[in-house]
Amino acid sequence: MKLTIIGCTGSFPGPGSPASCYLVTAFDGERDWKILLDLGSGALGVLQRYADIKDLDGIFISHLHPDHCMDLCGMHVAIRWDPNGWNRDRMLVHGPAATADRMATAYGLPLDEGMHPDYDFQHWKSRQPVKIGPFSITPYPVLHPIEESYAFRVEATEPVADGSLQTSVLTYSGDTDACPELVEAARGADMFLCEAAFEEGRDDAIHGVHLTGRRAGEAAAEAGVERLLLTHIPVWTDINTVVNEAKEVYDGGIAVAVSGVTYGVFSGSQLGTPKSLPTAPVSIVRSAPAREWPGTRKN
């Protein structure tokens, strides 16, 4: 199983990354299956550097704050208005019960049709796994101020070189404060993709919203995960602070999510290199004479 960080900046897009979105790929012996964990603000553009959206097998939404789901609106446009036609089944979307209505409202569509012609909306049921290709995705309710918020335990069973099957485990925290369900979701995971939006001391008065680096590290230690990948760090939170907090309480491998980086979930190895924004030469069809602002002083 491979994890590509599409967007990892907390709460809103930052200068170096969109909001939350993670591309997960696994091989079933015949083909690669590709799913998204969240599709937050600004993620759809960067996603297209790493995958053709028509190759996606499903989108799995942790909760309905815009930094985790709002680019479903852009995906709706890509599906509905492609002049060459979508030419495939509706896109599978698993999310909280209100997902379809929330997206229709965001786009100004009537609720009775909304985006149903484009998306196959399915609702999470706590701790009931969803199976797709080589993946099994199990949602765990976690502590965040919205009607439904989930952490995901993503298991992928794939053939390996000797012909046997190997299962790797990725746990994604979604957005949450410390809670027993987060530890349950992460138990023994090969990689724990965990938010760390808050800092100890600075955010002590805020409860039930986000983790600090220390609380992320404590969850990782209690769950016995192989490695911790910190994510959802807002622009106003210092990366070194949350890393140092996590290191004080967790002895395993620690890294910070960076947009464009791909990891082997079982190995922990970085694979390939991030893809920069595609560039093209500027084409001027007809030059206009240069002008100066009136009153500009000439030296």
Side-chain angles (χ1 to χ4, degrees), residues 5-92:
I5 311 299
I6 302 300
C8 55
T9 300
S11 303
F12 57 90
S17 171
S20 296
C21 182
Y22 308 93
L23 173 65
V24 186
T25 305
F27 183 64
D28 69 350
E30 296 183 1
R31 71 172 178 91
D32 285 328
W33 290 68
K34 298 178 181 180
I35 62 173
L36 295 182
L37 309 180
D38 284 338
L39 186 57
S41 320
L44 184 58
V46 174
L47 171 64
Q48 292 171 78
R49 301 180 199 171
Y50 298 92
D52 185 327
I53 61 175
K54 291 185 178 181
D55 291 337
L56 295 174
D57 294 292
I59 303 171
F60 298 85
I61 301 297
S62 66
H63 66 289
L64 295 178
H65 282 150
D67 61 314
H68 292 259
C69 68
M70 194 48 63
D71 271 21
L72 284 172
C73 288
M75 181 77 79
H76 151 76
V77 174
I79 294 171
R80 175 67 63 91
W81 299 109
D82 185 339
N84 297 312
W86 181 239
N87 300 321
R88 53 157 288 180
D89 295 337
R90 291 182 299 162
M91 180 69 73
L92 175 66

Side-chain angles (χ1 to χ4, degrees), residues 67-289:
D67 61 314
H68 292 259
C69 68
M70 194 48 63
D71 271 21
L72 284 172
C73 288
M75 181 77 79
H76 151 76
V77 174
I79 294 171
R80 175 67 63 91
W81 299 109
D82 185 339
N84 297 312
W86 181 239
N87 300 321
R88 53 157 288 180
D89 295 337
R90 291 182 299 162
M91 180 69 73
L92 175 66
V93 175
H94 270 268
T99 303
D101 286 355
R102 191 73 58 84
M103 292 301 101
T105 299
Y107 206 79
L109 298 173
L111 299 184
D112 58 350
E113 183 175 79
M115 297 181 183
H116 288 282
D118 310 306
Y119 291 131
D120 176 12
F121 289 106
Q122 301 292 326
H123 302 161
W124 292 120
K125 296 180 181 178
S126 176
R127 295 181 173 83
Q128 293 192 19
V130 171
K131 297 186 184 299
I132 177 171
F135 293 109
S136 176
I137 304 101
T138 305
Y140 291 80
V142 289
L143 183 59
H144 195 59
I146 195 170
E147 56 271 23
E148 289 184 68
S149 190
Y150 296 98
F152 298 145
R153 184 179 180 88
V154 182
E155 300 172 84
T157 301
E158 303 169 274
V160 293
D162 65 3
S164 64
L165 296 177
Q166 174 74 47
T167 297
S168 52
V169 180
L170 167 70
T171 294
Y172 168 48
S173 68
D175 279 6
T176 182
D177 202 343
C179 61
E181 293 82 0
L182 178 63
V183 175
E184 183 182 357
R187 187 75 64 192
D190 298 302
M191 182 171 286
F192 185 21
L193 178 64
C194 188
E195 70 119 289
F198 282 176
E199 294 180 13
E200 294 287 320
R202 186 193 68 184
D203 303 306
D204 290 353
I206 307 173
H207 302 285
V209 182
H210 289 299
L211 296 164
T212 60
R214 181 180 185 86
R215 295 202 290 270
E218 289 171 340
E222 185 176 353
V225 304
E226 186 70 23
R227 57 187 59 83
L228 174 62
L229 183 58
L230 297 172
T231 192
H232 198 274
I233 301 173
V235 296
W236 50 61
T237 292
D238 182 71
I239 291 173
N240 291 322
T241 295
V242 295
V243 167
N244 288 333
E245 289 175 0
K247 288 168 64 177
E248 291 176 357
V249 293
Y250 173 67
D251 294 332
I254 299 176
V256 175
V258 174
S259 180
V261 174
T262 297
Y263 292 93
V265 169
F266 184 79
S267 68
S269 301
Q270 291 190 27
L271 309 174
T273 57
K275 298 178 182 178
S276 62
L277 183 68
T279 58
V282 175
S283 176
I284 299 175
V285 176
R286 179 188 297 135
S287 297

